[in-house]
Amino acid sequence: AAAASSSSASSSYTTSSYYGSSSSSGYSTGGYYGSSSSYGSGATAPRELKRVIANFAPQFTGYSQHDAQELLAFLLDGLHEDLNRIRKKPAVEIPSGDGTNDAEVARLAWERHCMRNDSFVQDLFSGQFRSELVCPQTGRKSVTFDPYNCVSLQLPQVTDAKLELVVHPADHARAPHKLSLMMPKACTFADVRKRVEERLGIPAANMVLADMYGTRFYSFYKDHSRVWTTSSCRTYSEVHVFETPLPAPSPFEPSLSSYSSNKYGSGSESSSIFVTDAAPAGGPAAAGGE
């Protein structure tokens, strides 16, 4: 392809561009839409390569996003088939083993693969996958070796996210303090209770997890609810953990009057939760404080 678009000179090797001119000294390459530059000092956009590939694989036509690994696999397969030195491919049988003679089975499988495939692409990129199947009824193994030219590897996924907590001790003489935890993205608020218990020694039953708006209670988290509803790795800002002297009901649902006064209250400087042995009249065994 380069020879078709190049002109020879006595002292240099040059290539001409489609819409530009090439230099006459030194080794140079031309761009498709501009003048050529000296070797190593410029870059060429592979527009023509993309156009040619799209002629044979219409899925790569246009400017939409495509999978890079899929394009690489198609390109390597196409180059291998076009440059395969074996024109008449014999029929071969894929050997298999029982796991006790892997080296021999792999060698035989590769020899038979090379009887049908021989190109520089195979020399540079090909290898073998070991595949093992086990019958659940008889326990019999079948091991085969399959050729490949691309290996797909999964990128590491972030499975944990940072959770910020504000812990309010039951002892009012102790000031609230912040606690940061790394929690799995699929965790629930029950998991948060257990982790706080491990870190601070507060019994999980003696906790109320709440969402605060300023100094007012906005809502109370249920144990079965997930902390993160999406897989995006974002910090959950300030879940408030209130320690109670006695075990708190689960789920924690204060009476309507108490909940309303906390949610839309006057905005005191601190918020507290009181749990008593006896349920107040007309309400559950929990009452919201100021």
Side-chain angles (χ1 to χ4, degrees):
S5 61
S6 65
S7 59
S8 61
S10 59
S11 61
S12 64
Y13 178 86
T14 63
T15 60
S16 59
S17 60
Y18 286 97
Y19 296 99
S21 59
S22 61
S23 61
S24 59
S25 63
Y27 182 89
S28 63
T29 59
Y32 292 118
Y33 297 100
S35 60
S36 62
S37 59
S38 60
Y39 180 74
S41 62
T44 301
R47 298 183 181 91
E48 186 65 15
L49 175 62
K50 179 183 179 302
R51 185 191 65 80
V52 173
I53 293 177
N55 289 339
F56 295 94
Q59 66 267 28
F60 298 115
T61 304
Y63 297 96
S64 301
Q65 291 186 351
H66 299 286
D67 186 75
Q69 192 272 339
E70 183 182 351
L71 173 64
L72 177 62
F74 175 82
L75 184 60
L76 291 178
D77 288 340
L79 288 173
H80 168 69
E81 290 299 331
D82 288 348
L83 301 176
N84 195 355
R85 303 181 185 97
I86 298 177
R87 298 303 179 184
K88 188 175 182 180
K89 299 182 180 181
V92 296
E93 181 180 357
I94 300 177
S96 62
D98 56 3
T100 60
N101 55 345
D102 285 353
E104 179 63 22
V105 175
R107 183 191 62 80
L108 183 60
W110 185 251
E111 288 180 354
R112 294 184 179 179
H113 173 72
C114 292
M115 294 171 61
R116 297 170 53 88
N117 302 274
D118 183 17
S119 72
F120 87 94
V121 176
Q122 176 181 272
D123 298 338
L124 295 177
F125 298 103
S126 292
Q128 287 179 303
F129 279 130
R130 182 183 184 274
S131 177
E132 178 178 316
L133 296 177
V134 180
C135 177
Q137 302 296 331
T138 63
R140 182 178 178 273
K141 290 184 179 180
S142 176
V143 178
T144 58
F145 291 85
D146 305 313
Y148 70 86
N149 56 21
C150 287
V151 179
S152 299
L153 299 178
Q154 185 177 4
L155 295 175
Q157 300 294 321
V158 178
T159 58
D160 292 345
K162 188 177 182 180
L163 179 64
E164 297 283 356
L165 305 175
V166 179
V167 181
H168 301 259
D171 183 1
H172 292 275
R174 297 168 55 196
H177 60 276
K178 290 190 175 183
L179 176 66
S180 297
L181 299 176
M182 294 300 297
M183 300 293 297
K185 289 184 178 181
C187 72
T188 63
F189 285 100
D191 300 323
V192 176
R193 287 174 179 269
K194 295 177 182 177
R195 185 67 63 85
V196 173
E197 181 178 16
E198 295 172 359
R199 290 286 299 272
L200 303 180
I202 302 175
N206 290 38
M207 297 181 201
V208 174
L209 277 58
D211 183 14
M212 303 289 296
Y213 182 77
T215 57
R216 303 174 179 88
F217 294 111
Y218 187 78
S219 63
F220 297 93
Y221 297 112
K222 294 183 166 93
D223 285 350
H224 61 80
S225 299
R226 292 182 56 174
V227 177
W228 291 279
T229 56
T230 63
S231 59
S232 60
C233 184
R234 293 186 300 175
T235 300
Y236 203 103
S237 178
E238 293 190 348
V239 173
H240 290 258
V241 180
F242 290 87
E243 179 186 5
T244 58
L246 299 174
S250 181
F252 185 78
E253 296 177 348
S255 62
L256 180 60
S257 59
S258 174
Y259 178 75
S260 298
S261 64
N262 287 324
K263 187 173 182 180
Y264 307 106
S266 59
S268 58
E269 294 298 327
S270 62
S271 300
S272 303
I273 290 181
F274 302 95
V275 178
T276 59
D277 290 318
E290 294 181 353

